[in-house]
Amino acid sequence: MPTISDSTRGEFALIEKIRNLSAPVPEGVLGIGDDCAVLPQKDGLQSLVSCDLLVEGEHFVLDRISPRELGWKSAAVNISDIAAMGGRPRGTFLSLCLPEKFSEADVLEFIEGYNALSSRFSCPLLGGDTTRGKLLCINVTVLGECPAGRAVLRSGARSGDLICVTGPLGDSATGLELILSDRSSDPNYQYLKERHYLPVPRVGEGMAIAKAGAGAMMDISDGVASDLRHILKASSVGAEVDCGAIPMSTQMQKTCASLGLDPVEKALCGGEDYELLFTIGEQELKRLDVEHYVIGRITAGNSLVWKGSDRDYLGFRHF
Ligand code: ADP
Ligand code: MG
């Protein structure tokens, strides 16, 4: 039976070494290991801070994505980490490494997309840095806040809690499949491409889930198969996931069928959905008034069981 430690892979093992080499954080501060760092404030609030790096060729293919889409997505994936704590985003900093081929007009179109997403969440651009370089690199730092002691961490899952997600999974990864294989004639191309390039972070949903009393939460960037393991490891619990209960759009299922792809594998392992994955008690779930799908249950012990499937699933690998 697969165990949670199966997920100890290159990137995460390296981050663990970095953490071990670094100074311990002061009492009351949460450092490396969650979607955001959490810092106390004096006025009954907590600050949430996160940053993410997007590198040309690693996270996007420059001639397949428009500058506007790239700007939107850069803001979205960062604001999503504030949503993952149940917080409210307050502002961002944007650092750009710009190659010659990315023109000034491209930069301005990028900013137009960045601001279109950010303004939806009243999250203004507050600063950053700009430099020349060989590859387009985008680093965003996002600041947010939530009531003191109310950030929803990865470590709060309890045995018996239900495991839920806020929306259908696998659209983004299936969209990427269509983009990279030039299948613009697929009837679901436009929908799936937008789900890949123009994700909308679940900010209001995250705050409502926190208020309802969720135990643990994170955003789905690498796929439930990988991301759930972070919650299980941080909370020292196991899980049973019902593969038949994974929400998937009809567009995604039809396209997977026509490409001969396994939709459940795409949904669990594809990543970049930016839906929220959370655990919550049955009573608390009754108080929750946002779209959600129950996909499994937290168990005691350290096993991760995929009910309804005879295989194990792993998420997206960075290294
Ligand atoms: P997410 O997918 O939510 O953005 P990551 O998987 O990128 O989170 O990172 C996991 C954790 O490790 C986060 O708490 C992040 O801040 C931390 N982290 C990642 N890279 C580094 C680094 N180079 N130095 C310090 N902390 C890091
Ligand atoms: Mg995250």
Side-chain angles (χ1 to χ4, degrees), residues 246-273:
I246 305 300
M248 293 178 285
S249 69
T250 48
Q251 293 94 326
M252 176 267 196
Q253 293 182 71
K254 281 185 182 159
T255 293
C256 281
S258 80
L259 298 182
L261 298 170
D262 173 4
V264 175
E265 144 126 67
K266 273 275 165 259
L268 291 175
C269 309
E272 296 207 275
D273 292 302

PDB file of all heavy atoms in Angstrom, residues 246-273:
ATOM      1  N   ILE A 246     -14.456  12.117  -8.147  1.00  0.00           N
ATOM      2  CA  ILE A 246     -13.647  13.264  -8.579  1.00  0.00           C
ATOM      3  C   ILE A 246     -14.461  14.095  -9.582  1.00  0.00           C
ATOM      4  O   ILE A 246     -14.878  13.566 -10.622  1.00  0.00           O
ATOM      5  CB  ILE A 246     -12.337  12.788  -9.267  1.00  0.00           C
ATOM      6  CG1 ILE A 246     -11.547  11.831  -8.361  1.00  0.00           C
ATOM      7  CG2 ILE A 246     -11.481  13.970  -9.694  1.00  0.00           C
ATOM      8  CD1 ILE A 246     -11.123  12.400  -7.037  1.00  0.00           C
ATOM      9  N   PRO A 247     -14.715  15.385  -9.304  1.00  0.00           N
ATOM     10  CA  PRO A 247     -15.504  16.181 -10.254  1.00  0.00           C
ATOM     11  C   PRO A 247     -14.694  16.490 -11.522  1.00  0.00           C
ATOM     12  O   PRO A 247     -13.529  16.880 -11.440  1.00  0.00           O
ATOM     13  CB  PRO A 247     -15.799  17.473  -9.475  1.00  0.00           C
ATOM     14  CG  PRO A 247     -14.693  17.574  -8.479  1.00  0.00           C
ATOM     15  CD  PRO A 247     -14.285  16.174  -8.131  1.00  0.00           C
ATOM     16  N   MET A 248     -15.347  16.272 -12.672  1.00  0.00           N
ATOM     17  CA  MET A 248     -14.683  16.551 -13.962  1.00  0.00           C
ATOM     18  C   MET A 248     -15.709  17.176 -14.897  1.00  0.00           C
ATOM     19  O   MET A 248     -16.875  16.749 -14.904  1.00  0.00           O
ATOM     20  CB  MET A 248     -14.157  15.241 -14.568  1.00  0.00           C
ATOM     21  CG  MET A 248     -13.023  14.612 -13.763  1.00  0.00           C
ATOM     22  SD  MET A 248     -12.462  13.045 -14.447  1.00  0.00           S
ATOM     23  CE  MET A 248     -13.782  11.960 -13.979  1.00  0.00           C
ATOM     24  N   SER A 249     -15.299  18.168 -15.667  1.00  0.00           N
ATOM     25  CA  SER A 249     -16.243  18.808 -16.593  1.00  0.00           C
ATOM     26  C   SER A 249     -16.554  17.845 -17.745  1.00  0.00           C
ATOM     27  O   SER A 249     -15.734  16.982 -18.090  1.00  0.00           O
ATOM     28  CB  SER A 249     -15.643  20.106 -17.149  1.00  0.00           C
ATOM     29  OG  SER A 249     -14.560  19.812 -18.015  1.00  0.00           O
ATOM     30  N   THR A 250     -17.731  18.022 -18.359  1.00  0.00           N
ATOM     31  CA  THR A 250     -18.054  17.162 -19.508  1.00  0.00           C
ATOM     32  C   THR A 250     -17.095  17.460 -20.660  1.00  0.00           C
ATOM     33  O   THR A 250     -16.690  16.551 -21.380  1.00  0.00           O
ATOM     34  CB  THR A 250     -19.510  17.370 -19.988  1.00  0.00           C
ATOM     35  OG1 THR A 250     -19.728  18.769 -20.088  1.00  0.00           O
ATOM     36  CG2 THR A 250     -20.514  16.786 -19.019  1.00  0.00           C
ATOM     37  N   GLN A 251     -16.695  18.741 -20.804  1.00  0.00           N
ATOM     38  CA  GLN A 251     -15.758  19.089 -21.882  1.00  0.00           C
ATOM     39  C   GLN A 251     -14.461  18.299 -21.740  1.00  0.00           C
ATOM     40  O   GLN A 251     -13.938  17.731 -22.705  1.00  0.00           O
ATOM     41  CB  GLN A 251     -15.416  20.590 -21.836  1.00  0.00           C
ATOM     42  CG  GLN A 251     -16.570  21.524 -22.169  1.00  0.00           C
ATOM     43  CD  GLN A 251     -17.314  21.998 -20.929  1.00  0.00           C
ATOM     44  OE1 GLN A 251     -17.453  21.268 -19.943  1.00  0.00           O
ATOM     45  NE2 GLN A 251     -17.815  23.213 -20.973  1.00  0.00           N
ATOM     46  N   MET A 252     -13.943  18.270 -20.521  1.00  0.00           N
ATOM     47  CA  MET A 252     -12.672  17.586 -20.261  1.00  0.00           C
ATOM     48  C   MET A 252     -12.817  16.079 -20.502  1.00  0.00           C
ATOM     49  O   MET A 252     -11.951  15.442 -21.109  1.00  0.00           O
ATOM     50  CB  MET A 252     -12.261  17.909 -18.825  1.00  0.00           C
ATOM     51  CG  MET A 252     -11.043  17.231 -18.329  1.00  0.00           C
ATOM     52  SD  MET A 252     -11.503  15.692 -17.485  1.00  0.00           S
ATOM     53  CE  MET A 252      -9.989  15.353 -16.614  1.00  0.00           C
ATOM     54  N   GLN A 253     -13.945  15.507 -20.048  1.00  0.00           N
ATOM     55  CA  GLN A 253     -14.123  14.060 -20.226  1.00  0.00           C
ATOM     56  C   GLN A 253     -14.249  13.697 -21.703  1.00  0.00           C
ATOM     57  O   GLN A 253     -13.710  12.694 -22.148  1.00  0.00           O
ATOM     58  CB  GLN A 253     -15.359  13.593 -19.456  1.00  0.00           C
ATOM     59  CG  GLN A 253     -15.154  13.723 -17.953  1.00  0.00           C
ATOM     60  CD  GLN A 253     -16.351  13.207 -17.174  1.00  0.00           C
ATOM     61  OE1 GLN A 253     -16.602  12.020 -17.107  1.00  0.00           O
ATOM     62  NE2 GLN A 253     -17.108  14.119 -16.596  1.00  0.00           N
ATOM     63  N   LYS A 254     -14.951  14.542 -22.463  1.00  0.00           N
ATOM     64  CA  LYS A 254     -15.104  14.259 -23.902  1.00  0.00           C
ATOM     65  C   LYS A 254     -13.763  14.345 -24.612  1.00  0.00           C
ATOM     66  O   LYS A 254     -13.431  13.510 -25.455  1.00  0.00           O
ATOM     67  CB  LYS A 254     -16.085  15.254 -24.533  1.00  0.00           C
ATOM     68  CG  LYS A 254     -17.537  14.889 -24.250  1.00  0.00           C
ATOM     69  CD  LYS A 254     -18.484  15.819 -24.996  1.00  0.00           C
ATOM     70  CE  LYS A 254     -19.934  15.460 -24.660  1.00  0.00           C
ATOM     71  NZ  LYS A 254     -20.854  16.555 -24.919  1.00  0.00           N
ATOM     72  N   THR A 255     -12.985  15.380 -24.277  1.00  0.00           N
ATOM     73  CA  THR A 255     -11.687  15.537 -24.946  1.00  0.00           C
ATOM     74  C   THR A 255     -10.747  14.398 -24.560  1.00  0.00           C
ATOM     75  O   THR A 255     -10.041  13.857 -25.418  1.00  0.00           O
ATOM     76  CB  THR A 255     -11.085  16.924 -24.611  1.00  0.00           C
ATOM     77  OG1 THR A 255     -11.910  17.906 -25.220  1.00  0.00           O
ATOM     78  CG2 THR A 255      -9.663  17.064 -25.125  1.00  0.00           C
ATOM     79  N   CYS A 256     -10.739  14.002 -23.291  1.00  0.00           N
ATOM     80  CA  CYS A 256      -9.894  12.872 -22.872  1.00  0.00           C
ATOM     81  C   CYS A 256     -10.294  11.617 -23.640  1.00  0.00           C
ATOM     82  O   CYS A 256      -9.436  10.865 -24.111  1.00  0.00           O
ATOM     83  CB  CYS A 256      -9.995  12.631 -21.367  1.00  0.00           C
ATOM     84  SG  CYS A 256      -8.992  13.789 -20.404  1.00  0.00           S
ATOM     85  N   ALA A 257     -11.607  11.400 -23.807  1.00  0.00           N
ATOM     86  CA  ALA A 257     -12.072  10.205 -24.535  1.00  0.00           C
ATOM     87  C   ALA A 257     -11.569  10.249 -25.979  1.00  0.00           C
ATOM     88  O   ALA A 257     -11.077   9.253 -26.505  1.00  0.00           O
ATOM     89  CB  ALA A 257     -13.591  10.122 -24.486  1.00  0.00           C
ATOM     90  N   SER A 258     -11.646  11.439 -26.601  1.00  0.00           N
ATOM     91  CA  SER A 258     -11.240  11.492 -28.016  1.00  0.00           C
ATOM     92  C   SER A 258      -9.720  11.399 -28.176  1.00  0.00           C
ATOM     93  O   SER A 258      -9.225  11.003 -29.217  1.00  0.00           O
ATOM     94  CB  SER A 258     -11.803  12.747 -28.697  1.00  0.00           C
ATOM     95  OG  SER A 258     -11.010  13.860 -28.375  1.00  0.00           O
ATOM     96  N   LEU A 259      -8.967  11.750 -27.141  1.00  0.00           N
ATOM     97  CA  LEU A 259      -7.493  11.645 -27.225  1.00  0.00           C
ATOM     98  C   LEU A 259      -6.986  10.319 -26.643  1.00  0.00           C
ATOM     99  O   LEU A 259      -5.780  10.069 -26.641  1.00  0.00           O
ATOM    100  CB  LEU A 259      -6.822  12.794 -26.453  1.00  0.00           C
ATOM    101  CG  LEU A 259      -7.083  14.224 -26.918  1.00  0.00           C
ATOM    102  CD1 LEU A 259      -6.297  15.209 -26.072  1.00  0.00           C
ATOM    103  CD2 LEU A 259      -6.722  14.390 -28.388  1.00  0.00           C
ATOM    104  N   GLY A 260      -7.889   9.501 -26.117  1.00  0.00           N
ATOM    105  CA  GLY A 260      -7.469   8.235 -25.512  1.00  0.00           C
ATOM    106  C   GLY A 260      -6.745   8.429 -24.187  1.00  0.00           C
ATOM    107  O   GLY A 260      -5.883   7.631 -23.808  1.00  0.00           O
ATOM    108  N   LEU A 261      -7.064   9.521 -23.463  1.00  0.00           N
ATOM    109  CA  LEU A 261      -6.413   9.787 -22.165  1.00  0.00           C
ATOM    110  C   LEU A 261      -7.322   9.333 -21.028  1.00  0.00           C
ATOM    111  O   LEU A 261      -8.550   9.351 -21.162  1.00  0.00           O
ATOM    112  CB  LEU A 261      -6.159  11.291 -22.012  1.00  0.00           C
ATOM    113  CG  LEU A 261      -5.238  11.937 -23.038  1.00  0.00           C
ATOM    114  CD1 LEU A 261      -5.291  13.451 -22.896  1.00  0.00           C
ATOM    115  CD2 LEU A 261      -3.811  11.428 -22.868  1.00  0.00           C
ATOM    116  N   ASP A 262      -6.723   8.953 -19.905  1.00  0.00           N
ATOM    117  CA  ASP A 262      -7.488   8.559 -18.715  1.00  0.00           C
ATOM    118  C   ASP A 262      -7.898   9.844 -17.969  1.00  0.00           C
ATOM    119  O   ASP A 262      -7.037  10.540 -17.425  1.00  0.00           O
ATOM    120  CB  ASP A 262      -6.602   7.660 -17.839  1.00  0.00           C
ATOM    121  CG  ASP A 262      -7.243   7.336 -16.491  1.00  0.00           C
ATOM    122  OD1 ASP A 262      -8.404   7.742 -16.266  1.00  0.00           O
ATOM    123  OD2 ASP A 262      -6.574   6.690 -15.674  1.00  0.00           O
ATOM    124  N   PRO A 263      -9.192  10.191 -17.946  1.00  0.00           N
ATOM    125  CA  PRO A 263      -9.589  11.465 -17.327  1.00  0.00           C
ATOM    126  C   PRO A 263      -9.279  11.523 -15.825  1.00  0.00           C
ATOM    127  O   PRO A 263      -8.929  12.584 -15.312  1.00  0.00           O
ATOM    128  CB  PRO A 263     -11.098  11.544 -17.592  1.00  0.00           C
ATOM    129  CG  PRO A 263     -11.526  10.159 -17.920  1.00  0.00           C
ATOM    130  CD  PRO A 263     -10.343   9.441 -18.486  1.00  0.00           C
ATOM    131  N   VAL A 264      -9.414  10.395 -15.121  1.00  0.00           N
ATOM    132  CA  VAL A 264      -9.155  10.412 -13.676  1.00  0.00           C
ATOM    133  C   VAL A 264      -7.677  10.694 -13.410  1.00  0.00           C
ATOM    134  O   VAL A 264      -7.326  11.468 -12.510  1.00  0.00           O
ATOM    135  CB  VAL A 264      -9.602   9.082 -13.014  1.00  0.00           C
ATOM    136  CG1 VAL A 264      -9.224   9.052 -11.546  1.00  0.00           C
ATOM    137  CG2 VAL A 264     -11.109   8.907 -13.187  1.00  0.00           C
ATOM    138  N   GLU A 265      -6.823  10.129 -14.239  1.00  0.00           N
ATOM    139  CA  GLU A 265      -5.391  10.410 -14.085  1.00  0.00           C
ATOM    140  C   GLU A 265      -5.107  11.891 -14.349  1.00  0.00           C
ATOM    141  O   GLU A 265      -4.366  12.541 -13.619  1.00  0.00           O
ATOM    142  CB  GLU A 265      -4.601   9.513 -15.046  1.00  0.00           C
ATOM    143  CG  GLU A 265      -3.381  10.183 -15.628  1.00  0.00           C
ATOM    144  CD  GLU A 265      -2.118   9.398 -15.420  1.00  0.00           C
ATOM    145  OE1 GLU A 265      -2.054   8.328 -16.015  1.00  0.00           O
ATOM    146  OE2 GLU A 265      -1.216   9.870 -14.700  1.00  0.00           O
ATOM    147  N   LYS A 266      -5.718  12.455 -15.404  1.00  0.00           N
ATOM    148  CA  LYS A 266      -5.536  13.893 -15.689  1.00  0.00           C
ATOM    149  C   LYS A 266      -6.040  14.736 -14.516  1.00  0.00           C
ATOM    150  O   LYS A 266      -5.425  15.718 -14.124  1.00  0.00           O
ATOM    151  CB  LYS A 266      -6.307  14.298 -16.948  1.00  0.00           C
ATOM    152  CG  LYS A 266      -5.540  14.098 -18.223  1.00  0.00           C
ATOM    153  CD  LYS A 266      -4.637  15.289 -18.517  1.00  0.00           C
ATOM    154  CE  LYS A 266      -3.602  14.964 -19.565  1.00  0.00           C
ATOM    155  NZ  LYS A 266      -2.268  14.670 -19.100  1.00  0.00           N
ATOM    156  N   ALA A 267      -7.204  14.337 -13.956  1.00  0.00           N
ATOM    157  CA  ALA A 267      -7.808  15.113 -12.872  1.00  0.00           C
ATOM    158  C   ALA A 267      -6.959  15.060 -11.602  1.00  0.00           C
ATOM    159  O   ALA A 267      -6.834  16.059 -10.892  1.00  0.00           O
ATOM    160  CB  ALA A 267      -9.219  14.607 -12.594  1.00  0.00           C
ATOM    161  N   LEU A 268      -6.372  13.903 -11.314  1.00  0.00           N
ATOM    162  CA  LEU A 268      -5.637  13.752 -10.054  1.00  0.00           C
ATOM    163  C   LEU A 268      -4.182  14.174 -10.164  1.00  0.00           C
ATOM    164  O   LEU A 268      -3.570  14.587  -9.181  1.00  0.00           O
ATOM    165  CB  LEU A 268      -5.714  12.297  -9.572  1.00  0.00           C
ATOM    166  CG  LEU A 268      -7.089  11.823  -9.103  1.00  0.00           C
ATOM    167  CD1 LEU A 268      -7.059  10.341  -8.779  1.00  0.00           C
ATOM    168  CD2 LEU A 268      -7.542  12.620  -7.881  1.00  0.00           C
ATOM    169  N   CYS A 269      -3.609  14.049 -11.362  1.00  0.00           N
ATOM    170  CA  CYS A 269      -2.151  14.248 -11.501  1.00  0.00           C
ATOM    171  C   CYS A 269      -1.791  15.463 -12.336  1.00  0.00           C
ATOM    172  O   CYS A 269      -0.629  15.853 -12.378  1.00  0.00           O
ATOM    173  CB  CYS A 269      -1.516  13.022 -12.139  1.00  0.00           C
ATOM    174  SG  CYS A 269      -1.968  11.491 -11.334  1.00  0.00           S
ATOM    175  N   GLY A 270      -2.767  16.035 -13.053  1.00  0.00           N
ATOM    176  CA  GLY A 270      -2.422  17.071 -14.034  1.00  0.00           C
ATOM    177  C   GLY A 270      -1.928  18.371 -13.430  1.00  0.00           C
ATOM    178  O   GLY A 270      -0.943  18.939 -13.855  1.00  0.00           O
ATOM    179  N   GLY A 271      -2.611  18.854 -12.422  1.00  0.00           N
ATOM    180  CA  GLY A 271      -2.167  20.085 -11.774  1.00  0.00           C
ATOM    181  C   GLY A 271      -2.651  21.360 -12.441  1.00  0.00           C
ATOM    182  O   GLY A 271      -3.341  21.344 -13.462  1.00  0.00           O
ATOM    183  N   GLU A 272      -2.299  22.491 -11.808  1.00  0.00           N
ATOM    184  CA  GLU A 272      -2.623  23.844 -12.273  1.00  0.00           C
ATOM    185  C   GLU A 272      -4.127  24.135 -12.353  1.00  0.00           C
ATOM    186  O   GLU A 272      -4.558  24.965 -13.138  1.00  0.00           O
ATOM    187  CB  GLU A 272      -1.937  24.149 -13.597  1.00  0.00           C
ATOM    188  CG  GLU A 272      -0.426  24.160 -13.468  1.00  0.00           C
ATOM    189  CD  GLU A 272       0.229  25.052 -14.500  1.00  0.00           C
ATOM    190  OE1 GLU A 272       0.468  24.604 -15.636  1.00  0.00           O
ATOM    191  OE2 GLU A 272       0.492  26.212 -14.154  1.00  0.00           O
ATOM    192  N   ASP A 273      -4.926  23.433 -11.536  1.00  0.00           N
ATOM    193  CA  ASP A 273      -6.358  23.731 -11.512  1.00  0.00           C
ATOM    194  C   ASP A 273      -6.644  24.993 -10.709  1.00  0.00           C
ATOM    195  O   ASP A 273      -7.604  25.707 -10.977  1.00  0.00           O
ATOM    196  CB  ASP A 273      -7.128  22.568 -10.881  1.00  0.00           C
ATOM    197  CG  ASP A 273      -7.087  21.325 -11.757  1.00  0.00           C
ATOM    198  OD1 ASP A 273      -7.522  21.426 -12.916  1.00  0.00           O
ATOM    199  OD2 ASP A 273      -6.609  20.280 -11.288  1.00  0.00           O
TER     200      ASP A 273
END
